[in-house]
Every structure is written in C-alpha cells, then in structure tokens.
Amino acid sequence: MAFVNLYSDTQTRPTAGMRAAIAGAEVGDEQRGADPTTRALEERVASLLGHEAALFLPSGTMCNEIAIRLHIRPGGERMFIGRDTHTLIAEAGGPAQLSGAVITEVDGDSGMFTPQALEHAIHGSGPGGRYGPRERLVSVEQTTNMGGGRVWPLEQVRGVLEVARAAGLATHLDGARLMNAAVASGVDAAEWAGGFDSAWLDFTKGLGAPVGACLAGSAAFIEEAWRWKQMLGGAMRQSGIVAAAGLYALDHHVERLADDHARAKRLAEGLAALPGVELDHAAVQTNIVIFAVPDAAAFTAALAAEDVEMSHFGPTRVRAVTHLDVDDEGIDRALAVAAQTLQ
C-alpha cells in the first residue's frame, strides 16, 4: 500500500509541473542581482506581502534569524513571542546565539496572545530602565504551528501591532504558513503582513517547493538583510533553479490549500471519534491536527509500522499535517490504521 506521510507539510515533493518550471528556469548570478527568476520571485513576494522589497533565502529559519538579528542588537535586548513557536523550539537557540536576544514568552490561546497579554508582558517584564533588558521586538507566528494551525484573528493582530507601536517596538511576522491563513480566512496576505516591519513566506510547506523562503521589509531593511545572508553563508549563485519552484507554487499551489484544510478537518473528525483520542475537531482551521493519546510514542511507532507517519511531541501529543502529497485515500487509510492501533 502507498505510504501516507502526515509527518509534516515539509515532506512534499515537487510536482511534474514544478519540476518542468525548475528545468526551464532562466538563471544568472543572484549575488550580482543578475538572476532574473530570483528577482521576479522577490518582487512578487514583496508585493504579495505589502512591503517594498524581499530577499530570497534558503529557509524560513534563516528568514527568522536574520530578521531578529536586524531588529535586536546583542547585549541585553528583549523580544516577545508566543509560547511553543518554531523560533523557540526548532531553531537551535538561534535568537540567543546570533542576536543575544532575551526572550519573553507571552501566553495565549493556541499560541495567539492578546494585545492585553502583550501589554502586560511589556510592562511586567522587570524594573526597566538601566536595570532590565531593552524591549525591542514582538514576533507573531501565522498560522500557529504547535497551536494546531490556528489562524490569528485579523483584529487581534492589529491590536498586537498597535500595542507594539505604542511601546516603540519593532514587529516581525513568521509567515511559514501565511498562505494557509490567507486561504482559510479569505484575507489577503498583505492584510496580515503589511503592518509588520518584517515578514516572510515559506515555499517548502503547503506550497510544495523543495527549497526556499522570502523575507520582506523596507528597501533599507532588505539591503542590510543581504549582508547577513552573505555572512551566514546563505548567498547563492544560479538560485533561479529553486526560485522557479517558488513562482510555480504561487501560481498553482495557493488555492489548492483549501483541499488540505478540508482533509485535515475530515481527519480530525475521524480521529476524534476513536477511543482514547482527545481532540477538539471543531478547532481545526487549516492543515495541522494536534491531538492526544495515552502513549504518543507507541502510537506513532505502530502507525509507522503500517506505513502511516505522524510526529509526536512529549508523552501524549501527536501532530498530523496534510499537504499536496496526501489525497482522500491517504486520509481514509490513516484513519483505518489509527483505529486498528487504538483498538
């Protein structure tokens, strides 16, 4: 039987059309600004996210780390971020190592903190003045990864930005799954991202490209980001080969994200009906399903033995993520194997 890979939407493989776009890409030296495909992708993403300029980078993690480094100066400056975000749990401590950031986690429902919670965190983070770290940055993750793919309400995002501006703080949007949020909410990506000082978009998750992300901001911000791209070894040569996949994804793989969302909801409904599963299926909004079972490691190992892959976090929590390589038959098979395993 076919392997059903629900481990992550990073598991996608380039489609035949995307491979053709890669093979036919017009290329040049991107470090000299001479790769036309990369430049086209950067211009497209800058416009899509409502910013002046954008920079193609190998990964979303590099987008986060370069942006944080530009917003925060080493030596005692603080950033505010939601609990269990990718930047905190999956970037090897990059904000501390590369930027010297003091990190304050802001509690919120499924990773989405309120303007009031942010204001409390800012004013309750210590004595301030010369005694405490300088508050510099607020980071928002859209959608929330470990929060179960939840979409921040637009008014809540605007409220957070208002509080940040009033406190003189820079703002950054981790847009790894931003297009999932745009499709699920019907709100344009620029509405979500344009109010932030920096924002980025990933091509390697639901959009299905093999490599790459784009960081967006002001022209001056992106000029300085280029320096850090060079410094961190992220500069490339004929990067149009992979930038072509990003352009193809924006042309062909955005609207179809709704299919992933529908399959995630069907998966969640089926799982919620199984004995031993704790899951609020009504809370599933995009392509991530997080649920609890009595023994997550044993559960995922049993699924893997039947060629169905999910990931587990901690003793009871399991995550399943739908994407373009998982069809309706894959969802049916995952549910059947899960039922067999739990019985």
Side-chain angles (χ1 to χ4, degrees):
M1 291 187 179
F3 180 58
V4 182
N5 193 338
L6 292 162
Y7 183 87
S8 175
D9 45 6
T10 61
Q11 308 299 291
T12 56
R13 296 160 298 180
T15 63
M18 184 177 286
R19 288 177 183 272
I22 291 170
E26 187 178 358
V27 299
D29 187 344
E30 68 125 25
Q31 290 200 60
R32 298 174 59 200
D35 189 296
T37 306
T38 301
R39 291 181 63 181
L41 179 62
E42 290 170 341
E43 291 168 4
R44 175 98 173 258
V45 170
S47 176
L48 180 67
L49 300 189
H51 285 273
E52 285 185 338
L55 176 63
F56 184 56
L57 291 166
S59 73
T61 294
M62 189 173 283
C63 289
N64 272 339
E65 296 306 328
I66 288 177
I68 292 168
R69 181 60 185 82
L70 293 180
H71 291 307
I72 287 184
R73 295 171 297 182
E77 296 194 344
R78 187 190 304 275
M79 65 179 291
F80 298 91
I81 193 166
R83 194 173 299 280
D84 289 339
T85 57
H86 189 277
T87 304
L88 288 176
I89 67 174
E91 297 185 11
Q97 173 64 27
L98 299 174
S99 303
V102 176
I103 297 172
T104 293
E105 297 180 56
V106 186
D107 285 324
D109 178 32
S110 300
M112 301 176 290
F113 50 85
T114 64
Q116 294 77 19
L118 175 61
E119 193 165 25
H120 177 76
I122 292 171
H123 296 297
S125 57
R130 64 185 181 187
Y131 298 102
R134 292 187 177 97
E135 288 83 11
R136 290 295 189 195
L137 177 65
V138 176
S139 180
V140 165
E141 183 184 60
Q142 177 76 301
T143 63
T144 62
N145 182 355
M146 297 311 297
R150 296 285 295 279
V151 179
W152 284 67
L154 184 58
E155 288 307 311
Q156 189 169 334
V157 170
R158 288 172 173 167
V160 164
L161 291 174
E162 185 176 338
V163 169
R165 290 193 200 99
L169 308 185
T171 55
H172 172 66
L173 178 67
D174 176 337
R177 294 179 176 88
L178 177 60
M179 298 315 296
N180 290 90
V183 168
S185 66
V187 176
D188 289 343
E191 283 289 318
W192 294 113
F196 288 82
D197 294 300
S198 57
W200 62 274
L201 177 67
D202 201 304
F203 305 114
T204 70
K205 296 183 171 66
L207 296 181
V211 180
C214 262
L215 174 64
S218 68
F221 180 89
I222 293 302
E223 181 65 28
E224 190 64 13
W226 235 118
R227 183 170 183 271
W228 277 91
K229 175 179 177 176
Q230 183 76 26
M231 192 184 306
L232 296 176
M236 297 172 279
R237 296 298 180 187
Q238 287 75 36
S239 59
I241 291 291
V242 283
L247 284 169
Y248 184 91
L250 291 175
D251 287 336
H252 300 280
H253 290 172
V254 174
E255 291 183 4
R256 64 146 308 281
L257 290 171
D259 297 335
D260 297 341
H261 301 169
R263 290 184 177 117
K265 290 175 183 177
R266 190 161 69 84
L267 177 66
E269 290 169 358
L271 288 168
L274 297 179
V277 172
E278 294 181 21
L279 170 60
D280 178 9
H281 65 81
V284 174
Q285 296 178 312
T286 57
N287 67 325
I288 299 176
V289 180
I290 293 181
F291 58 99
V293 293
D295 187 336
F299 176 77
T300 55
L303 263 59
E306 297 294 331
D307 286 337
V308 174
E309 191 166 11
M310 299 182 187
S311 57
H312 70 274
F313 300 86
T316 63
R317 191 159 60 159
V318 179
R319 187 185 74 162
V321 187
T322 56
H323 51 79
L324 61 84
D325 280 1
V326 178
D327 57 14
D328 290 330
E329 290 183 6
I331 298 299
D332 291 338
R333 184 149 182 275
L335 286 171
V337 173
Q340 174 186 321
T341 298
L342 290 167
Q343 288 172 359

